Amino acid sequence: MNLNEVDLEIVKFLNVNFYSVYLVYLAIFVIYSVYVYLIYLAFDLFRNKKHKKLFHLFVVAVIGYIFVASLKYLVGRERPYDVSQEINVVFKKADPSFPSSHAFIAYLSFFFVPESFPAWLKKLSAVYLLFLIPFFSVYSGVHYPSDVIVGALIGLIFPRVLTEKTSSKILEKIFK
């Protein structure tokens, strides 16, 4: 069995064996709520006057998203529900599958979890961002496990490679 076949079997196992209307609604809510969470992070940074960190979030999110979208169209991988008739279609997306932009945004957002969060909320954020969003992306038949793994890796790497210092230099060049 090659990686594509293993990927598809994992999606089928989760999507077909555990399909539930209630889980579908939860999946849609969780997957798309990452954008609301990202907006909250931006608001929190703005409210706490952490403008350099806010600009860093903006730069990394925009450049990272462009990178992820470019990879999607370069690779052109079909979505699991387009490959197998067995998969229950939860919702359809027009763009290619690889890598997952939701996993990218989730893992990127984890880098910016507010320092002011109490420990229990940081842990809850970790479960939500690092596990639930990628899991439901696979469960819904929208992504393969390898899609979310690569999207997550990009989300982990980008804010470390494109540092706050680099973002500040970009900001200085814009306003010179």
Side-chain angles (χ1 to χ4, degrees):
M1 231 185 222
N2 65 30
L3 177 62
N4 287 336
E5 292 169 342
V6 170
D7 256 359
L8 185 58
E9 288 305 313
I10 292 169
V11 174
K12 283 199 252 184
F13 174 76
L14 293 173
N15 179 275
V16 175
N17 293 323
F18 300 101
Y19 187 81
S20 155
V21 172
Y22 302 111
L23 276 179
V24 165
Y25 287 125
L26 181 62
I28 293 168
F29 174 78
V30 168
I31 291 167
Y32 283 97
S33 68
V34 73
Y35 295 109
V36 175
Y37 187 83
L38 186 63
I39 291 167
Y40 170 77
L41 289 177
F43 172 75
D44 184 70
L45 292 170
F46 179 78
R47 181 184 59 182
N48 290 310
K49 297 181 178 22
K50 296 184 178 185
H51 299 185
K52 285 185 179 181
K53 197 165 191 167
L54 173 60
F55 191 72
H56 183 223
L57 171 62
F58 177 76
V59 167
V60 172
V62 169
I63 293 173
Y65 195 83
I66 291 169
F67 180 76
V68 166
S70 299
L71 267 179
K72 280 181 176 286
Y73 289 98
L74 282 171
V75 174
R77 186 180 200 187
E78 288 183 293
R79 298 223 176 242
Y81 55 71
D82 288 329
V83 174
S84 173
Q85 297 296 321
E86 296 172 56
I87 294 173
N88 297 296
V89 178
V90 173
F91 57 92
K92 287 203 168 224
K93 298 204 53 170
D95 59 339
S97 177
F98 179 87
S100 167
S101 54
H102 287 98
F104 162 72
I105 293 295
Y107 274 70
L108 170 75
S109 296
F110 185 70
F111 183 83
F112 292 92
V113 168
E115 298 161 7
S116 62
F117 274 12
W120 68 269
L121 193 50
K122 286 180 182 177
K123 289 176 185 172
L124 188 62
S125 294
V127 169
Y128 162 67
L129 294 168
L130 307 179
F131 175 73
L132 288 178
I133 290 169
F135 172 79
F136 280 126
S137 293
V138 174
Y139 166 79
S140 64
V142 174
H143 284 291
Y144 298 96
S146 59
D147 297 344
V148 297
I149 290 168
V150 172
L153 287 173
I154 295 168
L156 284 173
I157 292 168
F158 255 74
R160 288 163 178 81
V161 170
L162 191 61
T163 64
E164 192 173 324
K165 187 176 179 181
T166 307
S167 295
S168 293
K169 287 180 182 178
I170 293 170
L171 181 62
E172 287 171 13
K173 288 186 181 195
I174 290 173
F175 291 106
K176 271 191 171 180

